[in-house]
Amino acid sequence: GTSKRIKVLTRLTLVVSDPSHCNILRSTSANIRLFDIIAVFPKTEKLFHIACTTLDVDLVCINVTEKLPFYFRRPPVNMAIDRGIYFELLYTPAIKDSTMRRYTVSNALSLMQICKGKNIVISSAAERPLELRGPYDVANLGLLFGLSESEAKAAVSTNCRATILHGETRKSACGIVYTVKKPRKVEEEETTLPAFKKAKTQA
Amino acid sequence: MVRFKNRYVLCEVVSEDPRCRQCIEDRAVGLAVRDAIGRVHGDYGLACCSISFTVKYLNAYTGTVLLRCRKDSYRLLCSALPFVRQLESRNQRYPCALNTLHVGGTIRTCQKFLIQYNRRQLLRLLQNCTNEEERRCVQKSLLSCSLTEEQSQSGDEEDDGSPE
């Protein structure tokens, strides 16, 4: 049957360990606009607070490879949920190594206790193609992280879609005005045509 | 009615090495899955899941595996499947991954799902066919995909023309 093409998006992850690193996000430089999704990886409690409350990002990455140096508190997490920012958990370190698995599960569970399973996105940090897992399996991993079944399924599907849309609103003026780069992206019917049909209509 | 309820988990073995196909046998897969459950859920999890655990069906050509476990412990099994990293048999190790396709209560539902899934895979293969000869072969197997009840009873779950 028809298989839709895979859309490859670009993403920028900023590892911030100092408040001065965040300045790059405030200045509306042209480089930031090139990326579809912007994620930030805060290393300290203060930066986590800043990221959840004021920074213009789509994802806040949660460290899974070592013990968290700070505890999550409820006010910044609730503010992030209201602003539409999602928390990202990685699962490939858990597959590779058993000490990482312990840190992953404990950090994920402590996050769950504060945010009650809302606004979670599970992604892999795979370096090789064999480290990827199918969506059903990733949703099952969400169960291990303390999510309920419906939340785990949402973490793989609807939350990811919402993150992409959140990234798109940054390109337009709060999602009201869209700038069209290529005519292909405007209509959704065109992207669902299979490749050979598309070639025929364009030829 | 008192009856033991089982869950059948249908998965697919994904690997980059083509030699891994020969290594796919029921004992190797069973050991790999048990090992993963032991690593993730510990001794308790391993004991829970191994009450009625077997590999019911295996197709080395397409890499399809059907596992059975008790209904009470299927969550432990499903959550441990992503942690399977390699298959080992005859002193050969191949890195691989298991991809869960479907969880069903009976073998019949898993079979129906597998037929639909294979039909979709065949359609996708048809698009990528380069040779006219291959194209005709695939089209013939696609057309013979529709089963009647008697045929499906004979355990014919693979309809892509490959011998079992």
Side-chain angles (χ1 to χ4, degrees):
Chain A
T2 55
S3 52
K4 287 195 195 168
R5 297 212 125 155
I6 295 185
K7 229 164 51 158
V8 180
L9 300 170
T10 49
R11 160 202 168 139
L12 173 67
T13 308
L14 284 170
V15 179
V16 283
S17 42
D18 195 69
S20 60
H21 296 169
C22 309
N23 292 336
I24 194 170
L25 280 172
R26 307 212 191 173
S27 63
T28 45
S29 59
N31 295 338
I32 298 284
R33 297 193 141 248
L34 292 174
F35 295 99
D36 296 311
I37 300 178
I38 298 193
V40 74
F41 191 159
K43 293 274 192 191
T44 65
E45 160 109 58
K46 210 167 157 197
L47 283 164
F48 181 74
H49 187 100
I50 294 175
C52 291
T53 48
T54 47
L55 279 186
D56 184 20
V57 291
D58 305 312
L59 289 175
V60 173
C61 304
I62 303 294
N63 194 2
V64 294
T65 52
E66 50 191 23
K67 187 156 158 31
L68 277 178
F70 56 91
Y71 290 116
F72 296 113
R73 286 185 302 116
R74 210 166 273 242
V77 170
N78 283 341
M79 276 203 69
I81 294 180
D82 289 331
R83 284 178 69 204
I85 296 183
Y86 289 80
F87 297 101
E88 182 187 27
L89 291 171
L90 304 173
Y91 67 79
T92 303
I95 295 182
K96 287 203 280 204
D97 189 31
S98 92
T99 34
M100 306 278 193
R101 204 176 298 157
R102 268 179 252 152
Y103 289 135
T104 309
V105 177
S106 66
N107 292 351
L109 285 176
S110 56
L111 178 63
M112 288 312 146
Q113 282 167 355
I114 306 285
C115 77
K116 291 184 278 250
K118 289 200 261 187
N119 282 35
I120 301 279
V121 168
I122 306 182
S123 61
S124 86
E127 288 148 26
R128 280 181 300 226
L130 269 185
E131 288 166 10
L132 282 177
R133 293 290 182 263
Y136 215 146
D137 289 319
V138 179
N140 286 334
L141 276 177
L143 291 177
L144 273 183
F145 292 159
L147 294 169
S148 78
E149 172 130 13
S150 61
E151 283 164 7
K153 285 218 171 115
V156 184
S157 51
T158 48
N159 288 0
C160 302
R161 203 181 147 87
T163 313
I164 298 175
L165 291 176
H166 190 271
E168 274 188 21
T169 60
R170 217 173 326 104
K171 292 189 185 169
S172 61
C174 298
I176 300 178
V177 172
Y178 283 95
T179 54
V180 172
K181 284 182 230 163
K182 285 187 209 168
R184 205 188 281 179
K185 285 202 183 150
V186 174
E187 279 142 45
E188 223 216 357
E189 297 95 1
E190 278 197 51
T191 54
T192 55
L193 282 178
F196 53 93
K197 264 197 183 163
K198 221 189 282 183
K200 260 197 193 167
T201 54
Q202 278 176 357
Chain B
M1 185 161 85
V2 174
R3 155 166 122 176
F4 286 126
K5 301 207 175 166
N6 296 322
R7 283 285 177 267
Y8 292 88
V9 180
L10 188 65
C11 357
E12 174 186 16
V13 176
V14 173
S15 74
E16 291 166 334
D17 200 348
R19 290 172 299 169
C20 186
R21 297 272 143 133
Q22 321 154 351
C23 178
I24 301 182
E25 351 170 282
D26 44 3
R27 224 176 322 166
V29 173
L31 274 180
V33 173
R34 263 185 229 253
D35 178 55
I37 300 178
R39 269 185 293 135
V40 177
H41 296 294
D43 297 327
Y44 170 73
L46 189 53
C48 268
C49 288
S50 66
I51 293 181
S52 166
F53 175 75
T54 44
V55 177
K56 266 311 207 183
Y57 170 77
L58 184 61
N59 184 333
Y61 294 99
T62 57
T64 311
V65 178
L66 184 67
L67 307 166
R68 176 187 77 180
C69 70
R70 282 265 177 268
K71 180 175 156 189
D72 301 327
S73 54
Y74 88 94
R75 284 207 185 278
L76 290 173
L77 174 65
C78 282
S79 54
L81 285 180
F83 292 90
V84 171
R85 277 168 32 203
Q86 58 184 24
L87 281 185
E88 209 175 305
S89 93
R90 281 172 259 156
N91 297 330
Q92 300 260 12
R93 280 175 207 201
Y94 297 106
C96 70
L98 282 188
N99 189 15
T100 314
L101 300 174
H102 185 248
V103 175
T106 55
I107 299 190
R108 172 100 50 103
T109 56
C110 290
Q111 187 183 25
K112 281 193 208 160
F113 177 85
L114 191 60
I115 294 174
Q116 280 177 1
Y117 181 75
N118 284 342
R119 190 177 297 153
R120 270 182 270 147
Q121 297 290 85
L122 276 180
L123 282 172
R124 210 178 283 173
L125 276 182
L126 186 61
Q127 279 182 350
N128 299 343
C129 262
T130 48
N131 203 353
E132 189 52 45
E133 179 66 39
E134 286 175 14
R135 197 176 276 268
R136 259 185 286 136
C137 270
V138 175
Q139 271 175 342
K140 197 168 71 136
S141 4
L142 263 179
L143 289 173
S144 68
C145 239
S146 49
L147 288 182
T148 56
E149 265 305 308
E150 301 89 71
Q151 265 178 303
S152 69
Q153 293 287 353
S154 62
D156 231 355
E157 284 151 27
E158 303 308 302
D159 297 302
D160 48 2
S162 55
E164 279 193 40

